[in-house]
Amino acid sequence: MKPMKMKKLLSAGLLCLASLSTMAQLPVEIKGLLKKKRLTNVKLFKVKEGKAVEMANSVPGTKGQFGFLFYPEYEGLYLIGTGNEGSPNDNYKFYFKGGEELSVSLLDSSYVLTGKKNSKENRVLTQWHDLTNPLEQKAINFMKVQSTFVDYFPEQEEIVAKTKTFLNGKATGNAKFDQEIKKIMAWDLASYATNFLNTPRSAHPSVEEYSNFYSTIKAEDFTKNTASVYNYPYGFRTLTGIIGLNMRQQGKAYKRGPEGVDLFVSFVPNDTLKGDLILDNAAGYKTITDFENLMKGREKYILTASQKMRSANIMNPLLTYKPGTDAFSFAYDDKDGKKVTMASLKGKVVLVDVWATWCSPCRAEIPYLKKLEEEMKGTDVQIISLSTDAVKDKEKWLKMIKDENLGGMQLFAGGPDNEFSKYYKVNTIPRFLVFDKQGKIVTIDSPRPSNPELKALLQKTLAN
């Protein structure tokens, strides 16, 4: 072949590659109007490993206009709405691959496409949304639309029947989407069905009263590969709902701790997804001991680089709370305005009760705490009640100390975002923590006073 001809062919090939590269880099343009009673920021989310992740945030104009211009990281589902990452409320699914334009109006409980340039894929998704919106409203927006199984189950069965012919005549020419929409439909229906069962209602059905559709929802069908879960915006949220449903259908009771985790993941055949579910559970652990007990023998399911990084991110902060490490050095005023520090309590076994006057479970522990204080009298145990009431409620706190004749050492931390609560990640109260005579951590999540195990723990710590 002559050199000149070879040059022309090579140039043509490079031009073709450049064109393909340009196609892959085409942006998506979104123009919208927020037609809600209250204007709030509109968010754009991507889907990462079965969870929604916020990408961008648009502040609507005075007339509600908003917009996004972005390069999609992948071809598939994205979300647009006024909701958040953890819940499907007020977020809507759209399909992008690059080069699309989307014109949309977000309403109080739904959305409508506007303009003439919306893609075939998003028109089909909108038709699907319109068909199943009655289920979404009752299952997802349950605070706005009151419903019980008496009206929901028949409507669900009616809509499920319609879905069998929904895709007739709706081929878009995008082979990937035309396959993906079938999975999206299955996930949506399972999401609505399980969310309905797991949200507050004035009446709840027994398993025997479940409508026919529930018998078709099996965790094993949704977890044959990771992509099935990873590509759906609320894949893991829905999967946990499906597993919970299957457990009830099989009469298997929920269990706490590693044994419960083993039961939960037994419904999933995919090892990588087992690992993700284990890590989801581990994320709620407060001590390194609990984390290590959970992971022992289950490390084989932590397979991907993402999982290994996530495991490390869960574990590393817990090392701060490992028994034998130094306690957080706090300094708070007591009821008389005297400053009390952790250092000043050395030589005492310290039990800290994190509470607030408005907290009913906290108040329920007070009689047991008083009894424990009486039983520990004469020992080197110092009980501290650390109030997380807001500064404006300090007088209310002082009044309750007097009216309820509260004992121990009463300290005021000044709000739920105080340094002690942030350091020990106290997001629910009451929470009890135990420290030894040297000011070292024994546990940052001890049994409550109503549990005899707390007294035994204090006695053991004294003996040590």
Side-chain angles (χ1 to χ4, degrees), residues 19-59:
S19 299
L20 287 172
S21 176
T22 303
M23 286 291 288
Q25 294 299 314
L26 288 175
V28 170
E29 183 178 5
I30 299 167
K31 297 177 181 177
L33 283 176
L34 183 63
K35 294 186 174 182
K36 290 195 169 197
K37 294 174 184 175
R38 186 173 69 88
L39 291 184
T40 185
N41 289 8
V42 179
K43 303 161 192 173
L44 172 66
F45 304 85
K46 64 181 178 181
V47 181
K48 184 176 181 181
E49 297 181 354
K51 296 176 182 178
V53 177
E54 185 176 330
M55 296 170 62
N57 202 308
S58 176
V59 180

Side-chain angles (χ1 to χ4, degrees), residues 190-339:
S191 173
Y192 302 149
T194 55
N195 206 79
F196 185 87
L197 295 179
N198 295 331
T199 43
R201 308 285 165 183
S202 59
H204 290 274
S206 65
V207 174
E208 292 72 26
E209 291 175 300
Y210 289 175
S211 63
N212 293 336
F213 177 61
Y214 286 98
S215 65
T216 69
I217 304 174
K218 305 294 183 186
E220 60 187 25
D221 294 334
F222 287 84
T223 56
K224 290 177 180 176
N225 57 67
T226 55
S228 178
V229 180
Y230 281 8
N231 293 345
Y232 187 71
Y234 301 100
F236 276 98
R237 174 191 168 102
T238 304
L239 177 57
T240 57
I242 294 172
I243 295 173
L245 165 66
N246 292 166
M247 287 177 64
R248 292 194 293 273
Q249 289 169 326
Q250 296 182 23
K252 295 184 177 180
Y254 171 78
K255 297 179 182 179
R256 297 178 64 86
E259 185 183 2
V261 172
D262 288 341
L263 172 61
F264 204 73
V265 303
S266 69
F267 286 84
V268 175
N270 183 288
D271 283 355
T272 303
L273 296 176
K274 285 179 189 284
D276 287 322
L277 290 170
I278 289 168
L279 290 173
D280 275 357
N281 186 273
Y285 282 23
K286 301 179 180 71
T287 70
I288 189 63
T289 303
D290 287 342
F291 177 80
E292 288 173 344
N293 287 340
L294 174 65
M295 299 310 296
K296 188 176 181 180
R298 299 173 185 86
E299 303 94 335
K300 61 184 178 182
Y301 297 122
I302 310 305
L303 301 169
T304 68
S306 174
Q307 288 175 329
K308 289 172 183 176
M309 181 180 293
R310 188 177 169 203
S311 179
N313 288 340
I314 294 170
M315 180 184 69
N316 289 340
L318 295 179
L319 292 171
T320 305
Y321 313 135
K322 191 171 184 176
T325 55
D326 289 334
F328 174 70
S329 182
F330 66 77
Y332 294 114
D333 289 344
D334 68 9
K335 61 185 176 63
D336 300 315
K338 179 183 175 183
K339 190 75 71 179

Side-chain angles (χ1 to χ4, degrees), residues 135-195:
L135 301 183
E136 182 177 352
Q137 294 309 309
K138 291 180 178 181
I140 306 298
N141 292 329
F142 60 92
M143 296 296 288
K144 299 177 184 176
V145 182
Q146 300 301 310
S147 173
T148 70
F149 70 96
V150 176
D151 61 270
Y152 180 81
F153 284 177
E155 188 164 26
Q156 179 171 257
E157 295 301 318
E158 181 183 339
I159 289 175
V160 167
K162 291 179 180 178
T163 65
K164 299 185 187 307
T165 57
F166 170 77
L167 291 175
N168 291 353
K170 291 187 173 67
T172 64
N174 180 342
K176 183 174 180 178
F177 173 83
D178 291 343
Q179 284 299 314
E180 200 67 23
I181 184 64
K182 298 172 186 176
K183 299 173 187 175
I184 294 167
M185 290 165 60
W187 276 99
D188 277 352
L189 291 174
S191 173
Y192 302 149
T194 55
N195 206 79

Side-chain angles (χ1 to χ4, degrees), residues 381-413:
V381 171
Q382 177 63 63
I383 296 176
I384 291 177
S385 293
L386 184 67
S387 167
T388 60
D389 285 286
V391 174
K392 66 181 179 63
D393 293 324
K394 188 171 184 178
E395 290 303 317
K396 182 180 177 182
W397 168 69
L398 290 169
K399 184 175 185 301
M400 185 172 171
I401 292 173
K402 184 178 179 181
D403 292 348
E404 300 286 338
N405 191 28
L406 301 184
M409 185 179 287
Q410 300 288 333
L411 304 184
F412 192 77

Side-chain angles (χ1 to χ4, degrees), residues 16-147:
C16 182
L17 286 172
S19 299
L20 287 172
S21 176
T22 303
M23 286 291 288
Q25 294 299 314
L26 288 175
V28 170
E29 183 178 5
I30 299 167
K31 297 177 181 177
L33 283 176
L34 183 63
K35 294 186 174 182
K36 290 195 169 197
K37 294 174 184 175
R38 186 173 69 88
L39 291 184
T40 185
N41 289 8
V42 179
K43 303 161 192 173
L44 172 66
F45 304 85
K46 64 181 178 181
V47 181
K48 184 176 181 181
E49 297 181 354
K51 296 176 182 178
V53 177
E54 185 176 330
M55 296 170 62
N57 202 308
S58 176
V59 180
T62 54
K63 295 182 179 179
Q65 65 273 29
F66 68 88
F68 298 99
L69 182 69
F70 76 103
Y71 292 89
E73 296 178 18
Y74 56 86
E75 177 179 344
L77 289 179
Y78 293 78
L79 300 173
I80 300 170
T82 56
N84 57 52
E85 293 182 339
S87 169
N89 293 69
D90 299 316
N91 290 331
Y92 306 106
K93 294 180 286 292
F94 299 95
Y95 191 94
F96 300 123
K97 60 184 179 297
E100 294 95 344
E101 291 182 22
L102 179 74
S103 297
V104 64
S105 290
L106 302 184
L107 313 178
D108 274 322
S109 298
S110 188
Y111 76 90
V112 292
L113 295 182
T114 57
K116 299 179 180 180
K117 293 186 178 180
N118 294 297
S119 69
K120 290 180 180 178
E121 294 93 332
N122 284 323
R123 291 201 296 270
V124 170
L125 268 179
T126 300
Q127 291 168 17
W128 169 247
H129 173 266
D130 292 344
L131 173 63
T132 57
N133 194 43
L135 301 183
E136 182 177 352
Q137 294 309 309
K138 291 180 178 181
I140 306 298
N141 292 329
F142 60 92
M143 296 296 288
K144 299 177 184 176
V145 182
Q146 300 301 310
S147 173

